[in-house]
Amino acid sequence: QVHLVESGGGLVQAGGSLRLSCAASGRIFSINAMGWYRQAPGKQRELVAHITSGSSTNYADSVKGRFTVSRDNAKKTVYLQMNSLKPEDTAVYYCNAAILASGSYFVKEYWGQGTQVTVSS
């Protein structure tokens, strides 16, 4: 069984910063791409940032220059540093990872449970 557990969400004023973490655990053989998505009330889930196993990154236009995604492969953890936060960044943030579990032949996509980020104006 593989699990993704997020932490680091919370309430922050506009212009502030938060750092999200997502740790993968369980019977993991390898982790490919990892990323962060978010879903605001009444909206569809959208990609925020993505990082490959080789640490190539891409970002949604709305967060470029403000958010930074990184990963620590030894810790099986992906991070999202969020600076200059805006009220429109308010959403539930979900971690996503493509993982090959031990004993499995196929890479499977896993999701975390989500962490709330609220930015007040």
Side-chain angles (χ1 to χ4, degrees), residues 1 6 8 14 24 27 34 36 46 60 65 68 72 93 99 111:
Q1 196 72 316
E6 299 118 335
R27 293 172 52 82
M34 305 183 83
W36 291 93
E46 63 174 358
T68 302
D72 184 330
Y93 283 71
I99 295 174
W111 292 90

Side-chain angles (χ1 to χ4, degrees), residues 53-120:
S53 56
S55 295
S56 295
T57 59
N58 69 282
Y59 298 90
D61 288 342
S62 59
V63 307
K64 282 181 181 175
R66 300 188 298 122
F67 290 11
T68 302
V69 62
S70 61
R71 63 191 286 171
D72 184 330
N73 292 327
K75 294 182 178 180
K76 299 184 178 66
T77 298
V78 62
Y79 305 96
L80 185 67
Q81 178 66 44
M82 305 184 292
N83 298 329
S84 301
L85 281 161
K86 304 175 181 179
E88 50 263 44
D89 294 318
T90 296
V92 177
Y93 283 71
Y94 296 91
C95 173
N96 171 274
I99 295 174
L100 178 62
S102 298
S104 176
Y105 293 102
F106 304 103
V107 173
K108 182 180 175 183
E109 193 174 34
Y110 292 86
W111 292 90
Q113 79 285 357
T115 185
Q116 177 70 46
V117 171
T118 303
V119 184
S120 63

